[in-house]
Each structure stands twice: as C-alpha cells, then as structure tokens.
Amino acid sequence: MAPQTVICIGMAGSGKTTFMQRLNSHLYSKKTPPYVINLDPAVLKVPFGANIDIRDSVKYKKVMENYNLGPNGAIVTSLNLFSTKIDQVISLVEKKSDKFKNVIIDTPGQIECFIWSASGAIITEAFASTFPTVIAYIVDTPRNTSPTTFISNMLYACSILYKTKLPMIIVFNKTDVQKADFAKEWMTDFEAFQNALKADEDSNDGQSSGYMNSLVNSMSLMLEEFYSQLDVVGVSSYTGEGFDEFLDAVDNKVDEYEKFYKAERERILKEKEEKEKNKKEKNLSHLMNDLGISGKGKKDEVDVISDTESIEEGEHDGILPTDEEEGIEREYTFPEDRNAGEVNDNSNEALQARYQEAYEKVAKEASSQTAENIANYIRQ
C-alpha cells in the first residue's frame, strides 16, 4: 500500500517545524516511524531527523551569493533547483514505501515561496500523482482570536485548497495557549461569527472600519461552503494533545482522496491526454491537406507548378530520362580545359583578364555602332 503523504503548510510562526517534530515523535511512539522530508533550505537546525533534506542538495547562502538574491528569492531559487531532481526523490520514497506508512513534509515558513511558485506546484504534483496526499494547514490559534485575522487565514487556506486540489485538514496549533473551540464554532455557526465580529467592533469603540466589517461579513458567507470540505482538529505541539485526532483525520482524508480526488485527478489527466491527441490529429490532418494527401492515402489534385505535370499519364511515370539515357553528348563551355570554368585563387587573374577583354570588345562595338548612327543622321 502506498504511504500516506502529509504536506505541512502554514504562515510563518504558526509552528510547522514544532508540529513536524511532535508528529514525528508521536508516530515513533506508535511503532510506525514516518519518512521525513525537509524542504526549508533556510532553516539552520531541524529538531527531527530528516530522511531527505533539501539542505544536502542546495546551499542556501551560496545561492544568495551566486545569484545576488534576498532571503525570499533565494528560497524560491533553492526550491527551483531542488525540483529538478524531484523524480529522484519520488524514486527514493517508492523504494522505501514498504517500510513506512506515512511521509511527512515540512515546507518553508515563507508560505508564498512554496505555494505560489512553479517549483512548489511541481513538488506537490509529483507527490500527489504518486501517493495519496493530504495538505495540513497549520494555524496559529492565539493570533486568530480576532474575527478579521481569522477570516484572512481562512481565505488563504481556501486559496491553497483550490490551488493544490488536494484534501485539506485545518490544524489549529498551540491549543495549550488558546483553545480552538471558538474557531470551530465560527466555522460551523454563522451567527456566532457575526456576534464575535460585532463584539470586536464594539470593543474598538467604533474605531474599526465599517468597510472592513462589511467585507468580512461577505467573506464569511462565501466560506461556508469551503468549511464543509474540511476536517478541523486542534493540537498542541508542546504537549502532544490532539495528535491521535489528527491521524484519524489523515486516514479520513486519504479515503476521501481515493474516492473523489484521485478519480477527479485521473479524469483531468485523461481529458488533457485527449486534448493533446485531438490536437496532434488535427495538426496531422492540416499537414496532409497541405501536402495534398487525403486520409485514405490517395493523392488529391493540387495546383502546383511542375515540369512533370506536362508529361502524359504513364509516360516515364513522372521520371525524366537523363542525358546519357537519351544519348545526348554534353558540350563544355571550355572544351580545351574543363577546369577553366572553376573559379578559385589560381584562375582569378585569368578570369579577370577574360572579363576585361570581353568588356573592351563590347565597348568597341558599341562605339563603332554609335559613330555609324551619327554619320547616317548627318547624311540625312
């Protein structure tokens, strides 16, 4: 059975790396160690043992120096360089797939460097097309107690869901600091979110923007359908609370992947192959028409300029006989020297002399003819 792949994505500071550490140790405690991959090239130290580490392949500081890049540009470039070897990474994971049930992947803290870059899409697609893959979107719970911040984070999660087209689990992290009950209620009860938004407006003594509240209201209505597609869990990477629930959610999303997402992905790929096939057939048909060839291999009548068209049907079968076959003797321009017509460094002076001689002869004849014409005109 193919291993379950969990790609951990989240805003900077949401606790992705700590979540990865706790998930890794939790799976070890269950005697099911995962296959761990680190895709953050800028991290100095990871608190877990990575089976594949991007830092072994790409030196982040060297990338900054060699390409004159800033931190984010260097991360994107490092991911681009790593993605060129993604087939080797997939091959390594496949070879170990019989020994691991889970593959967990840590991504850069700069979320846009991974999600919205071409390399991020290549890496995600490579895993999703080979293994059942789930996105774990990590949320910093204490920082999302404000309805405005919460809805912004949910919008980002929504964009990632439709960008990756993969099952998603919303993981409210740091529940040891702030319980995630309020967030779960906001996602299931629209009126509760409206009340929280009103309370937040009142607590700011009317200083909050009315436009912002109106926008948040509208977005919360839109996101109701989005919430229905998600599994939501609260975890504490510090205490280990909620990780059994998270693994249950992963199993649930893997089943969902097999039933719906995999079929949809196969349909999209098949549709793409059909379009490519039809495009090739259409191009071939145009080429055959341009060449005057029908689909059955018969030659159509085409207007062309050719000496062979003047030959009657069956005569020579369109092939003209050579001079030797017709017994014609070729005459050379310079019979005394067959190489005289060749222009090279040796013959250049002789050729120039012949040109000069011909020019003088023509000029002399023209001059004589002109003089004769003038004399005739005077006599008249």
Side-chain angles (χ1 to χ4, degrees):
M1 182 179 177
Q4 303 171 351
T5 302
V6 180
I7 302 178
C8 298
I9 296 172
M11 297 286 190
S14 60
K16 291 186 302 300
T17 303
T18 311
F19 173 83
M20 282 278 295
Q21 178 192 21
R22 178 59 69 175
L23 178 59
N24 183 43
S25 61
H26 188 78
L27 289 169
Y28 265 97
S29 69
K30 290 182 169 292
K31 310 299 182 185
T32 56
Y35 196 87
V36 185
I37 300 175
N38 172 46
L39 294 182
D40 189 350
V43 66
L44 294 177
K45 185 178 179 181
V46 291
F48 49 81
N51 298 87
I52 297 176
D53 196 328
I54 188 175
R55 297 176 301 166
D56 296 335
S57 306
V58 183
K59 302 303 178 186
Y60 173 70
K61 289 186 178 180
K62 287 292 183 183
V63 170
M64 289 182 70
E65 293 173 5
N66 293 343
Y67 297 98
N68 297 319
L69 297 171
N72 287 353
I75 290 174
V76 172
T77 304
S78 298
L79 285 169
N80 289 343
L81 294 170
F82 184 78
S83 66
T84 61
K85 305 293 184 183
I86 191 61
D87 57 327
Q88 297 179 22
V89 174
I90 297 296
S91 178
L92 288 171
V93 177
E94 284 183 317
K95 288 178 182 178
K96 301 286 186 179
S97 60
D98 58 332
K99 299 179 181 179
F100 300 97
K101 182 186 175 184
N102 299 96
V103 177
I104 57 177
I105 304 173
D106 193 15
T107 60
Q110 288 74 5
I111 187 171
E112 66 280 355
C113 294
F114 182 79
I115 287 298
W116 306 112
S117 66
S119 54
I122 290 169
I123 293 169
T124 303
E125 185 65 27
F127 278 98
S129 59
T130 312
F131 312 110
T133 305
V134 176
I135 301 294
Y137 184 74
I138 316 299
V139 179
D140 187 345
T141 311
R143 292 185 182 177
N144 282 267
T145 53
S146 165
T148 305
T149 309
F150 172 81
I151 210 73
S152 300
N153 226 317
M154 291 301 102
L155 275 174
Y156 215 110
C158 178
S159 65
I160 292 171
L161 174 69
Y162 291 109
K163 175 72 166 61
T164 60
K165 297 182 177 67
L166 290 170
M168 177 179 283
I169 303 170
I170 301 292
V171 181
F172 287 100
N173 196 14
K174 307 180 183 180
T175 54
D176 55 297
V177 178
Q178 173 69 55
K179 291 293 183 183
D181 297 339
F182 75 94
K184 293 178 181 179
E185 184 182 16
W186 287 354
M187 296 175 74
T188 54
D189 188 344
F190 175 74
E191 292 184 359
F193 180 79
Q194 295 294 311
N195 294 334
L197 187 63
K198 185 70 169 66
D200 183 64
E201 183 181 1
D202 294 339
S203 65
N204 290 326
D205 299 325
Q207 294 180 4
S208 59
S209 170
Y211 292 110
M212 175 60 75
N213 290 337
S214 176
L215 175 63
V216 171
N217 262 321
S218 302
M219 289 190 296
S220 63
L221 283 170
M222 180 272 293
L223 288 172
E224 275 192 309
E225 179 64 25
F226 165 66
Y227 295 149
S228 65
Q229 306 298 318
L230 304 175
D231 280 19
V232 182
V233 297
V235 304
S236 171
S237 299
Y238 181 71
T239 64
E241 178 189 1
F243 275 84
D244 283 327
E245 184 183 353
F246 172 75
L247 292 176
D248 291 340
V250 171
D251 291 335
N252 179 44
K253 285 300 179 183
V254 166
D255 292 339
E256 189 177 308
Y257 172 92
E258 296 289 350
K259 290 180 182 177
F260 305 107
Y261 285 83
K262 186 178 180 180
E264 178 65 12
R265 293 175 72 81
E266 289 176 351
R267 184 192 66 79
I268 292 172
L269 289 173
K270 187 176 180 181
E271 189 176 287
K272 187 177 179 181
E273 288 177 1
E274 286 292 328
K275 286 183 179 179
E276 288 293 329
K277 183 180 177 182
N278 292 337
K279 186 178 179 181
K280 287 181 180 178
E281 290 179 354
K282 188 177 181 181
N283 290 340
L284 180 60
S285 176
H286 287 166
L287 177 62
M288 293 174 71
N289 288 335
D290 290 342
L291 296 175
I293 305 172
S294 67
K296 297 180 181 179
K298 295 181 180 179
K299 184 175 179 180
D300 295 335
E301 293 184 1
V302 184
D303 294 332
V304 295
I305 300 174
S306 172
D307 292 336
T308 59
E309 284 192 347
S310 63
I311 300 172
E312 295 183 4
E313 186 177 355
E315 184 179 358
H316 305 304
D317 292 326
I319 302 174
L320 294 176
T322 63
D323 292 344
E324 289 79 4
E325 290 173 344
E326 291 192 342
I328 299 175
E329 293 185 5
R330 298 287 297 276
E331 293 185 1
Y332 290 90
T333 309
F334 309 103
E336 69 283 354
D337 183 7
R338 294 192 177 186
N339 295 323
E342 181 182 354
V343 180
N344 51 39
D345 293 338
N346 296 329
S347 62
N348 190 37
E349 293 181 4
L351 183 62
Q352 184 64 32
R354 285 198 296 274
Y355 284 160
Q356 185 66 29
E357 183 182 348
Y359 171 74
E360 291 175 355
K361 182 180 179 181
V362 171
K364 186 177 180 180
E365 290 177 355
S367 178
S368 300
Q369 184 64 39
T370 303
E372 185 179 348
N373 291 340
I374 292 173
N376 292 335
Y377 177 75
I378 291 173
R379 282 196 295 270
Q380 291 175 0

